[in-house]
């Protein structure tokens, strides 16, 4: 290319001795008056403090977005309840009635819908989050604020949706078996999944900001994940039917989504004992930690580059 | 380049006379960015051929927008950036705001600069009042502070009853007014205004010029990009003339504007 990029080092060599003396003088003056580089990335500690300071922004932004999404529809926010219900209905029809994958799972409708809801919480956080930066470019270029607030607001949105979905699930299960103190376990289960989702969303927000192709690719990734995570079938029962060796289930249960679905099912479904995966709680905790810390650091490392055009 | 040489000692004298604290220092700044230019057929087949031949995207071009620019701005300065279209004025502002890191050189700032541009929209699906609250929260204000300032902001914007309507229904002048009102609700250390006042009507221009003077006196520093030389003359005490990314002249607003005018009319 004829318009090759002059390397910073070459530019430096081009500048004369007088200029480099001036550079040192200006840098010293900046230091003396406590000026900082305008495009510098804040330290992780400062960043987290700033982020905590904007917690109100995160909540308000999430609320405003929910409002904006449903503002055009005649039924408005009722769609927040209708969408998961319709989703559950379609999957029940396809997998429960038409394909008959029930194979001996008691209360199959609740089993399926619980898995569906947990899965779509993570899936939607990731796909929506991959657009968190690119969809808000104008806001990013107008105002200065820690960019991680945007993907975080997207997760808050999805969490809010998840609460509504869970209320529907409780109504369904409650009708057939009555309430149970086991349900309280859903609180730590959802908490761990939310930590995982925050990390995953931050990772995809950064990927989506620089690689716009990722949003084309994500639906295929999540769909593969959907079929591998034991939402329509019970993983232990399926593997038993296939006479798979013992290590297969160990490997499959390392899938974070399977683990979060499993701990949610343990909380909600009484009969889940015989279908549960090994070490689901431990795996859930480890994934939440890895994802949260890794996601934050990964996102923060590009903080000074979001919004560049 | 004769102009630049005569201007340099003047700027130095100016700086020494003002005897103030520097707030923005640009040190030999070069800005290069990639843009997507039109070109290529845009079909799947041509994209595939490009990947096979391992070519770079033909539509990506690098632009050296700002070349070796150095200056120092002091507290209380209102600096007008003038120059023809595409001379790097807006790019320089975005670099000062920290949104576009320079390829070489450095920009030092005291405090957080805020950029206010006319084409930078907020959230268009939302109503004006929600945008006020969100914008203020993003700037780091608390809910109590916003409640206190809310009426002032709406009053200053002059939007009136339209505040309950989505911003997508606003005219470009109205949204520019609201954005300026939001951004100026907080005292900024450094305020960067990019043509934001051009779309407002005469009455709003007078009000916003007053506001800029106010911000200047509250120890801030204001940068103003404008093609209206009258606005620059009225609100600024200093001007920087950029020509094709190169700093042509830096000094007292009247001298720089006169020199710029002379060249613009001389070439005709």
């Amino acid at each position: 290319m004829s318009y090759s990029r002059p390397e910073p080092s070459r530019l430096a060599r081009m500048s004369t001795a007088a200029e480099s003396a001036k550079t040192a003088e200006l840098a010293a003056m900046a230091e003396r008056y406590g000026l900082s580089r305008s495009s510098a990335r804040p330290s992780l500690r400062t960043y987290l403090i700033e982020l905590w300071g904007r917690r109100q922004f995160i909540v308000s932004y999430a609320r405003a977005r929910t409002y904006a999404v449903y503002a055009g529809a005649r039924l408005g926010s009722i769609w927040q309840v209708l969408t998961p219900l319709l989703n559950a209905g379609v999957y029940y029809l396809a997998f429960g009635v038409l394909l008959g994958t029930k194979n001996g799972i008691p209360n199959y409708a609740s089993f399926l819908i619980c898995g569906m809801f947990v899965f779509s919480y993570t899936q939607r956080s990731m796909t929506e989050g991959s657009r968190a930066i690119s969809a808000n470019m104008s806001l990013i270029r107008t105002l200065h604020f820690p960019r991680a607030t945007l993907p975080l607001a997207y997760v808050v949105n999805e969490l809010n949706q998840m609460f509504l979905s869970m209320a529907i699930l409780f109504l369904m299960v409650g009708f057939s078996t009555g309430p149970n103190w086991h349900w309280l376990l859903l609180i730590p289960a959802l908490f761990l999944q939310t930590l995982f989702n925050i990390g995953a969303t931050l990772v995809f927000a950064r990927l989506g900001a620089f690689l716009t192709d990722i949003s084309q690719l994500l639906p295929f990734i999540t769909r593969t994940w959907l079929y591998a995570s034991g939402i329509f079938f019970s993983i232990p029962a399926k593997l038993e039917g296939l006479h798979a060796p013992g290590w297969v289930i160990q490997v499959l249960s390392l899938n974070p989504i399977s683990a979060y679905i499993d701990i949610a099912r343990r909380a909600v479904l009484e009969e889940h004992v015989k279908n549960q995966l090994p070490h689901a709680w431990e795996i859930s905790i480890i994934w939440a930690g890895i994802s949260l810390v890794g996601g934050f650091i990964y996102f923060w490392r590009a903080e000074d580059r979001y919004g560049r055009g | 380049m004769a102009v630049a040489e005569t201007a340099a000692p003047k700027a130095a004298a100016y700086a020494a006379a003002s005897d103030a604290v520097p707030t923005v220092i640009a040190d030999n700044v070069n800005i290069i960015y990639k843009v997507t230019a039109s070109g290529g057929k845009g079909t799947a087949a041509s994209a595939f051929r490009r990947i096979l031949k391992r070519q770079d995207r033909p539509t990506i071009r690098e632009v050296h927008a700002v070349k070796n620019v150095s200056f120092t701005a002091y507290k209380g300065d209102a600096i007008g950036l003038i120059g023809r279209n595409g001379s790097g004025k807006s790019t320089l502002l975005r670099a000062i705001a920290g949104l576009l890191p320079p390829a070489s050189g450095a920009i030092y700032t005291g405090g957080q600069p805020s950029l206010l541009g006319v084409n930078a929209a907020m959230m268009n699906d939302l109503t004006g009042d929600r945008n006020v609250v969100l914008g203020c929260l993003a700037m780091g204000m608390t809910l109590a502070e916003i409640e206190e300032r809310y009426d002032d902001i709406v009053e200053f914007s002059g939007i009136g009853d339209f505040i309950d309507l989505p911003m997508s229904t606003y005219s470009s002048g109205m949204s520019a007014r609201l954005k300026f009102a939001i951004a100026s609700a907080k005292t900024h250390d450094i305020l960067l205004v990019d043509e934001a006042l051009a779309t407002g009507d005469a009455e709003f221009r007078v009000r916003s010029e007053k506001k800029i003077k106010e911000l200047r006196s509250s120890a801030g520093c204001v940068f103003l990009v404008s093609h209206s030389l009258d606005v620059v003359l009225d609100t600024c005490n200093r001007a920087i003339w950029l020509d094709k990314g190169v700093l042509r002249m830096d000094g007292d607003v009247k001298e720089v504007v006169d020199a710029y005018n002379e060249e613009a009319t001389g070439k005709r």
Side-chain angles (χ1 to χ4, degrees), chain A residues 1 3-6 8 11 14-15 19 22-24 26-27 29-30 33-39 54 56-57 60-61 63-65 67-68 136 138-145 147 304 306-309, chain B residues 21-23 25-27 30 32-34 56 61-62 70 72 94-110 112-113 115 120-123 125-126 130 134-135 137-140 143:
Chain A
M1 258 190 249
Y3 28 72
S4 69
R5 177 199 186 113
L11 286 173
M14 264 157 46
S15 63
E19 266 176 353
K22 205 177 102 201
T23 295
L26 285 176
M29 180 154 93
Y33 287 99
L35 308 189
S36 53
R37 269 181 187 245
S38 64
S39 53
R54 303 294 160 98
Q56 192 63 53
F57 172 68
S60 300
Y61 182 84
R63 214 175 282 155
R65 223 176 69 85
Y67 174 85
N136 291 296
S138 52
L139 191 65
I140 286 171
R141 286 180 182 162
T142 314
L143 297 172
H144 234 281
F145 57 91
R147 309 312 186 196
D304 50 340
Y306 302 120
R308 216 203 285 191
Chain B
V21 186
T23 49
I25 299 176
D27 173 18
N30 281 281
I32 298 159
Y33 61 88
K34 287 182 178 167
D56 212 5
R61 190 179 300 174
E62 283 184 341
S70 298
T72 307
R94 285 174 55 196
I96 298 171
L99 301 171
L100 194 65
S104 77
I107 295 177
Y108 304 93
T109 57
Q112 183 58 65
L115 176 65
M122 304 197 66
M123 295 182 68
D125 308 341
L126 298 179
R130 271 180 190 263
L134 275 177
L137 283 172
M139 289 192 301
L143 277 179

Side-chain angles (χ1 to χ4, degrees), chain A residues 69-83 86:
Chain A
V69 165
Y70 296 106
R74 183 167 292 208
L75 290 177
S77 299
I78 294 174
W79 280 107
Q80 280 191 285
V81 185
L82 275 183
T83 310
L86 290 175

Side-chain angles (χ1 to χ4, degrees), chain A residues 101-128:
Chain A
T101 24
K102 282 184 195 172
N103 50 17
I105 298 166
N107 201 355
Y108 182 71
S110 304
F111 174 89
L112 171 73
I113 287 164
C114 179
M116 227 21 246
F117 285 170
V118 172
F119 177 79
S120 53
Y121 177 28
T122 296
Q123 182 229 1
R124 286 184 52 93
S125 297
M126 273 168 40
T127 42
E128 294 290 304

Side-chain angles (χ1 to χ4, degrees), chain A residues 3, chain B residues 34-40 57-63:
Chain A
Y3 28 72
Chain B
K34 287 182 178 167
V35 289
T36 325
S38 61
R57 291 243 301 268
T59 51
I60 299 280
R61 190 179 300 174
E62 283 184 341
V63 176

Side-chain angles (χ1 to χ4, degrees), chain B:
Chain B
M1 272 298 115
V3 191
E5 272 157 28
T6 51
K10 253 179 209 154
Y14 172 82
S18 66
D19 170 45
V21 186
T23 49
V24 178
I25 299 176
D27 173 18
N28 216 4
V29 174
N30 281 281
I31 301 166
I32 298 159
Y33 61 88
K34 287 182 178 167
V35 289
T36 325
S38 61
K41 271 183 282 183
T43 60
S46 65
F48 193 64
R49 207 173 309 131
R50 197 191 72 221
I51 291 168
L52 279 182
K53 288 183 180 166
R54 292 170 175 263
Q55 285 168 343
D56 212 5
R57 291 243 301 268
T59 51
I60 299 280
R61 190 179 300 174
E62 283 184 341
V63 176
H64 197 158
V66 173
K67 297 166 189 159
N68 299 315
V69 169
S70 298
F71 63 85
T72 307
Y74 297 87
K75 247 180 198 172
D77 264 357
I79 301 177
L81 288 174
I82 56 175
R84 292 186 302 181
N85 291 113
S87 55
K89 305 181 297 290
S90 300
T91 310
L92 185 60
L93 273 201
R94 285 174 55 196
I96 298 171
L99 301 171
L100 194 65
S104 77
I107 295 177
Y108 304 93
T109 57
Q112 183 58 65
S114 302
L115 176 65
L116 178 63
V118 69
N119 41 8
M122 304 197 66
M123 295 182 68
N124 276 326
D125 308 341
L126 298 179
T127 60
D129 59 343
R130 271 180 190 263
N131 267 295
V132 171
V133 174
L134 275 177
C136 291
L137 283 172
M139 289 192 301
M141 287 165 71
T142 64
L143 277 179
E145 278 174 336
I146 295 167
E147 205 170 316
E148 196 182 306
R149 298 265 182 92
Y150 179 82
D151 289 336
D152 287 345
I153 297 171
V154 177
E155 190 1 274
F156 180 76
S157 73
I159 298 288
D161 293 340
F162 289 101
I163 199 76
D164 295 329
L165 293 179
M167 266 186 92
S168 50
T169 62
Y170 288 14
S171 70
S172 58
M174 280 161 76
S175 63
R177 288 157 75 140
L178 187 62
K179 277 181 269 176
F180 184 77
I182 293 170
S184 57
K186 203 180 157 211
T187 36
H188 297 282
D189 307 317
I190 300 154
L191 183 65
L192 313 166
V193 186
D194 189 358
E195 284 283 8
L197 312 178
T199 45
D201 50 28
E203 177 239 349
F204 184 71
R205 213 171 303 161
V206 173
R207 269 204 273 179
S208 48
E209 279 164 22
K210 220 178 99 198
K211 191 85 183 181
I212 288 180
K213 278 178 187 150
E214 231 176 87
L215 286 167
R216 243 180 85 187
S217 61
S218 61
C221 173
V222 179
F223 282 80
L224 177 73
V225 166
S226 182
H227 285 287
S228 158
L229 294 176
D230 290 339
V231 172
V232 172
L233 279 171
D234 282 352
T235 44
C236 303
N237 63 332
R238 181 177 164 191
I240 288 175
W241 173 11
L242 285 178
D243 187 27
K244 291 176 191 152
V246 179
L247 193 149
R248 274 290 287 275
M249 201 172 166
D250 173 8
D252 180 73
V253 62
K254 204 160 172 332
E255 286 170 34
V256 178
V257 168
D258 283 349
Y260 176 68
N261 260 336
E262 211 167 280
E263 177 166 304
T265 47
K267 266 189 184 165
R268 217 176 281 155

Side-chain angles (χ1 to χ4, degrees), chain A:
Chain A
M1 258 190 249
S2 55
Y3 28 72
S4 69
R5 177 199 186 113
E7 289 304 315
S9 58
R10 230 186 81 210
L11 286 173
R13 245 183 287 135
M14 264 157 46
S15 63
T16 60
E19 266 176 353
S20 61
K22 205 177 102 201
T23 295
E25 192 191 315
L26 285 176
M29 180 154 93
E31 170 117 30
R32 198 163 58 240
Y33 287 99
L35 308 189
S36 53
R37 269 181 187 245
S38 64
S39 53
R41 163 162 52 94
S43 73
L44 193 55
R45 212 183 102 86
T46 326
Y47 192 62
L48 290 177
I49 293 170
E50 267 182 43
L51 209 52
W52 177 244
R54 303 294 160 98
R55 60 193 180 280
Q56 192 63 53
F57 172 68
I58 297 175
V59 175
S60 300
Y61 182 84
R63 214 175 282 155
R65 223 176 69 85
T66 315
Y67 174 85
V69 165
Y70 296 106
R74 183 167 292 208
L75 290 177
S77 299
I78 294 174
W79 280 107
Q80 280 191 285
V81 185
L82 275 183
T83 310
L85 267 181
L86 290 175
N87 256 329
V90 168
Y91 282 106
Y92 184 74
L93 187 70
F95 291 92
V97 180
L98 296 177
L99 290 173
T101 24
K102 282 184 195 172
N103 50 17
I105 298 166
N107 201 355
Y108 182 71
S110 304
F111 174 89
L112 171 73
I113 287 164
C114 179
M116 227 21 246
F117 285 170
V118 172
F119 177 79
S120 53
Y121 177 28
T122 296
Q123 182 229 1
R124 286 184 52 93
S125 297
M126 273 168 40
T127 42
E128 294 290 304
S130 72
R131 287 190 287 266
I133 299 296
S134 46
N136 291 296
M137 217 36 126
S138 52
L139 191 65
I140 286 171
R141 286 180 182 162
T142 314
L143 297 172
H144 234 281
F145 57 91
R147 309 312 186 196
T149 49
L150 293 172
L152 281 175
Y154 280 53
V155 178
V156 170
N157 250 346
E158 299 305 328
L159 180 64
N160 182 33
Q161 175 71 62
M162 185 66 176
F163 283 142
L164 284 172
S165 303
M166 283 295 138
I168 294 171
L169 183 65
F170 279 139
L171 279 178
M172 278 182 55
V173 181
F175 266 125
S176 53
T177 61
N180 193 310
W181 65 268
H182 258 275
W183 288 6
L184 286 179
L185 277 177
L186 201 63
I187 296 169
L190 262 188
F191 177 72
L192 287 174
Q193 199 199 349
T194 303
L195 296 186
F196 174 81
N197 284 359
I198 289 173
T201 306
L202 285 168
V203 169
F204 279 98
R206 172 169 169 182
L207 287 176
F210 301 113
L211 290 169
T212 25
D213 307 42
I214 203 84
S215 57
Q216 313 287 334
L217 201 61
L218 251 176
F220 301 104
I221 299 173
T222 54
R223 213 167 307 154
T224 314
W225 208 358
L226 169 75
Y227 293 116
S229 299
I231 289 160
F232 316 111
F233 54 89
S234 149
I235 292 178
K238 191 98 187 166
L239 290 178
E240 216 170 287
L242 292 169
H243 305 288
W247 55 267
V248 177
I249 192 157
Q250 301 288 347
V251 172
L252 283 181
S253 54
L254 289 177
N255 176 356
I257 287 285
S258 299
Y260 292 118
I261 290 172
D262 203 63
I263 57 176
R265 280 179 181 158
R266 287 184 196 191
V268 179
L269 308 170
E270 261 178 71
E271 334 71 33
H272 188 57
V273 185
K274 72 182 175 72
N275 282 326
Q276 71 189 22
L277 294 168
H279 312 297
W281 278 104
E282 293 89 327
I283 292 167
S284 297
I285 293 171
I286 292 168
W287 267 117
I290 292 175
S291 167
L292 186 69
V293 174
F296 253 110
I297 293 174
Y298 182 67
F299 187 88
W300 160 77
R301 285 175 67 94
E303 175 72 10
D304 50 340
R305 303 213 305 271
Y306 302 120
R308 216 203 285 191

